[in-house]
Amino acid sequence: MPNPLYDALFRPHEGNEAVFLSLKDGRDISYAEFMRLAARLANALAASGVQPGDRVALQARKSPEALGVYAACVTAGAVFLPLNTAYTPAEVEYFVTDAGVKLLVCDSASRAALEPVAQKAESALLTLDADGGGTLADLARNQPAGFAAAERGPDDLAALLYTSGTTGRSKGAMLTQDNLLSNAEALVDAWRFTAADMLLHALPIFHTHGLFVASNVTLLAGGGMVFLPGLDMDDLAAHMRRATTMMGVPTFYTRMLADPRFDRALTGHMRLFISGSAPLLAETHRDFEARTGQRILERYGMTETNMNTSNPYKGERRAGTVGQPLPGVALRIVDPETGAPVPPGEVGIIEVKGRNVFKGYWNMPEKTAQEFRTDGFFITGDLATMDADGYVTIVGRAKDLIISGGYNIYPKEIELLLDEQPGVAESAVIGVPHPDMGEGVVGVVVPRNGADLSETVLLGAIAGTIARFKQPRRIFVVDELPRNTMGKVQKNVLRDRYKDTFG
Ligand code: MCA
Ligand code: AMP
């Protein structure tokens, strides 16, 4: 039975004894072993009542088994819904309920906190630990190591990834088999991935970058991954020699630059360093080349669209640009108001169309319609210019979004929370330059009727309600927010006022 994603990424590896995952502790997992794990997990999902099209959510630490749940979902035809491990139970509840999840898989440590969530959402709950333990792992252990892949078509959903909305409400981006497969094919080709590659993988696997860009590209090319639990500079230095390529968010590169071990001797054998998810400063690009002799290849993507542009593998990798549209991606830069294309070199909003672009937001047909033009182009909300050679330079965002260490934070979500606190009349949340994370979150609040607001009390009040990475690192109390003549808060004025907060 056809299942295009399984047929391209997984089926060729049944019986493939080459190394797929090489772990920090020295253990190697072959493709064949990973395929048996995925089949056992697929049987365990089926035994838990998961049918093709059902959503399976995973909030678990990075491990071969966690990646195995993704593979199992593709195999069993389920829709994979990965969740940031930093999300609080309240945040998880929204995703699980909104998506109508059939099975929620979490670390044993969060089982007690998530049991009421699963109950409320009428979802089954199983556990999976980073050491391979847990109730899902136990169930899988006794299952057959083969599974006849469920029949799926190119337009069927493979994954549901939540991205926060400008209204503060998260939206589930529906990604089809073909969205994922077409992008993996384009990237393998563009970046020349082969079975000889070993990718240094220190990213989380709950976002497009570490999951689809890194893992799907590796699976399609048949190469391996040095699969590290997270970004630890000692691990990165220790395992660099075993790798040929690396993918990271800009923080990976600024941390490498801050560490003298990462020099030509350590990195000289590498074939390719790739950066994305957030702007890489041209300065970082140049400093990295000066230190290592390597020109980072920067690319640009989005959860809704997978990867859209890339600097060339051969040819000029221009610092400060995200390169040219990938083959198969139609990209135009338009006037945000009229939708008319702007002349080369002028700033407009990026719109894209292609097999890579998602099917829409889960259960939000109106929101989906608003974000597409009638001719099928998706409005990204990123502001950019394109030069005569087709190189795109991102200059800002029309959407109110902060990107901290590669994680997206929507100010509206934090503002709603601050506004609820006693004594707060109104608030504004902004991103300002941060030496490590690119942008850092700052809150600005106005007291109600002269209330005596304290930064510490406010920070304490929101701790625990939202993921730590979203919480402002500083909150300033002011008499009033700067507004334009239309009454709109001037966030640019605030960003300028607080630009030196993180030094
Ligand atoms: C961790 N912390 C953060 C972040 N990460 N704070 C703000 N922003 C962050 N990104 C906080 C923790 O809450 C904690 O706070 C403290 O930093 C240390 O936590 P730890 O986990 O040790 O941090 P770390 O290991 O140093 O993590 C930093 C990191 C990580 C390596 C940059 O955030 C990361 O791996 N980011 C990659 C995100 C990613 O994959 N994005 C791709 C999205 P405290 O100590 O105060 O409690 S996909 C995408 O964007 C599109 C499609 C694309 O184009 O790729
Ligand atoms: P996400 O919603 O997590 O998929 O984040 C997508 C957003 O990240 C894009 O809309 C851009 O604003 C930003 N982004 C991704 N890659 C880059 C890049 N190379 N340079 C600048 N911004 C980027």
Side-chain angles (χ1 to χ4, degrees):
M1 286 193 289
N3 178 326
L5 201 55
Y6 183 84
D7 295 343
L9 301 188
F10 298 105
R11 196 186 298 284
H13 301 305
E14 289 170 359
N16 175 359
E17 292 301 334
V19 173
F20 174 42
L21 301 176
S22 185
L23 307 184
K24 181 181 160 170
D25 64 9
R27 189 159 63 97
D28 283 344
I29 297 178
S30 70
Y31 268 106
E33 192 179 344
F34 182 77
M35 291 299 295
R36 289 192 290 273
L37 170 69
R40 287 198 177 95
L41 286 164
N43 280 305
L45 298 187
S48 311
V50 173
Q51 306 273 339
D54 284 344
R55 275 76 59 208
V56 173
L58 175 76
Q59 189 190 36
R61 270 178 298 162
K62 186 175 173 184
S63 68
E65 289 76 13
L67 191 62
V69 174
Y70 162 55
C73 286
V74 175
T75 310
V79 180
F80 185 55
L81 196 173
L83 292 168
N84 193 322
T85 47
Y87 289 149
T88 62
E91 289 170 308
V92 172
E93 179 176 325
Y94 171 77
F95 303 123
V96 170
T97 313
D98 186 66
V101 159
K102 182 88 179 196
L103 169 66
L104 168 62
V105 181
C106 69
D107 278 304
S108 298
S110 33
R111 185 184 182 115
L114 289 178
E115 226 149 37
V117 171
Q119 253 166 33
K120 210 163 158 185
E122 295 178 23
S123 151
L125 181 67
L126 290 171
T127 59
L128 187 67
D129 299 329
D131 64 3
T135 54
L136 174 62
D138 292 343
L139 180 61
R141 201 160 294 123
N142 300 318
Q143 300 289 329
F147 189 100
E151 183 170 358
R152 296 271 91 187
D155 209 32
D156 283 326
L157 296 195
L160 191 57
L161 264 63
Y162 276 82
T163 74
S164 292
T166 39
T167 53
R169 224 186 124 206
S170 282
K171 301 166 288 182
M174 299 190 284
L175 294 158
T176 66
Q177 285 221 336
D178 196 54
N179 293 151
L180 302 184
L181 182 54
S182 63
N183 211 233
E185 285 169 348
L187 297 178
V188 166
D189 208 40
W191 298 338
R192 311 279 204 276
F193 269 79
T194 71
D197 274 310
M198 186 57 90
L199 174 75
L200 194 51
H201 192 301
L203 287 161
I205 54 168
F206 42 70
H207 280 310
T208 294
H209 197 163
L211 183 62
F212 303 137
V213 184
S215 308
N216 285 356
V217 160
T218 301
L219 284 157
L220 189 63
M225 297 196 273
V226 181
F227 207 58
L228 300 175
L231 183 63
D232 174 288
M233 300 320 282
D234 291 341
D235 287 349
L236 213 60
H239 294 277
M240 183 73 68
R241 284 200 172 79
R242 302 205 286 134
T244 61
T245 56
M246 193 191 94
M247 294 181 190
V249 299
T251 299
F252 281 40
Y253 294 99
T254 49
R255 288 193 187 173
M256 284 165 80
L257 279 169
D259 186 331
R261 286 177 295 182
F262 295 89
D263 59 8
R264 274 173 199 260
L266 186 64
T267 61
H269 68 285
M270 293 284 279
R271 179 176 80 73
L272 183 61
F273 283 94
I274 300 173
S275 177
S277 305
L280 183 77
L281 297 178
E283 181 194 343
T284 310
H285 195 282
R286 285 193 275 271
D287 290 352
F288 197 75
E289 184 175 14
R291 170 86 72 80
T292 65
Q294 300 270 357
R295 275 185 84 79
I296 300 170
L297 183 154
E298 185 174 7
R299 57 53 174 188
Y300 152 71
M302 216 177 149
T303 301
E304 288 92 331
T305 64
N306 297 287
M307 299 305 102
N308 294 312
T309 70
S310 173
N311 271 279
Y313 186 74
K314 288 216 179 300
E316 198 190 343
R317 297 182 196 161
R318 288 190 196 164
T321 83
V322 294
Q324 298 148 320
L326 284 161
V329 179
L331 184 147
R332 65 190 184 196
I333 302 203
V334 305
D335 181 304
E337 302 305 324
T338 64
V342 299
E346 282 190 23
V347 174
I349 210 155
I350 301 178
E351 297 185 349
V352 291
K353 186 177 173 179
R355 282 169 65 192
N356 56 310
V357 177
F358 76 135
K359 203 173 173 172
Y361 296 112
W362 178 260
N363 279 343
M364 288 186 180
E366 280 162 22
K367 186 78 201 155
T368 303
Q370 276 169 22
E371 310 229 346
F372 280 89
R373 300 277 181 200
T374 45
D375 61 359
F377 274 79
F378 173 66
I379 307 162
T380 63
D382 289 310
L383 296 171
T385 60
M386 190 194 262
D387 70 12
D389 303 332
Y391 280 73
V392 175
T393 302
I394 297 181
V395 298
R397 300 172 202 131
K399 52 195 174 190
D400 194 11
L401 164 72
I402 301 168
I403 306 184
S404 167
Y407 287 150
N408 286 8
I409 299 158
Y410 278 85
K412 191 77 196 165
E413 184 185 358
I414 325 296
E415 288 161 3
L416 290 172
L417 205 58
L418 287 173
D419 293 349
E420 279 172 11
Q421 304 308 316
V424 173
E426 60 173 350
S427 64
V429 168
I430 51 168
V432 298
H434 188 287
D436 185 36
M437 296 294 177
E439 289 183 283
V441 184
V442 165
V444 186
V445 295
V446 177
R448 182 183 300 281
N449 303 330
D452 190 13
L453 289 180
S454 131
E455 177 179 20
T456 322
V457 171
L458 284 171
L459 288 174
I462 61 169
T465 55
I466 48 167
R468 177 80 182 112
F469 71 85
K470 296 181 190 170
Q471 296 168 23
R473 295 302 149 130
R474 289 298 313 269
I475 295 182
F476 297 99
V477 180
V478 299
D479 291 336
E480 59 179 1
L481 295 173
R483 291 183 188 277
N484 64 15
T485 46
M486 310 288 288
K488 197 167 179 282
V489 176
Q490 291 171 301
K491 289 205 167 175
N492 53 338
V493 172
L494 291 175
R495 278 192 285 265
D496 191 55
R497 192 184 296 165
Y498 296 108
K499 66 179 187 304
D500 297 325
T501 304
F502 301 112

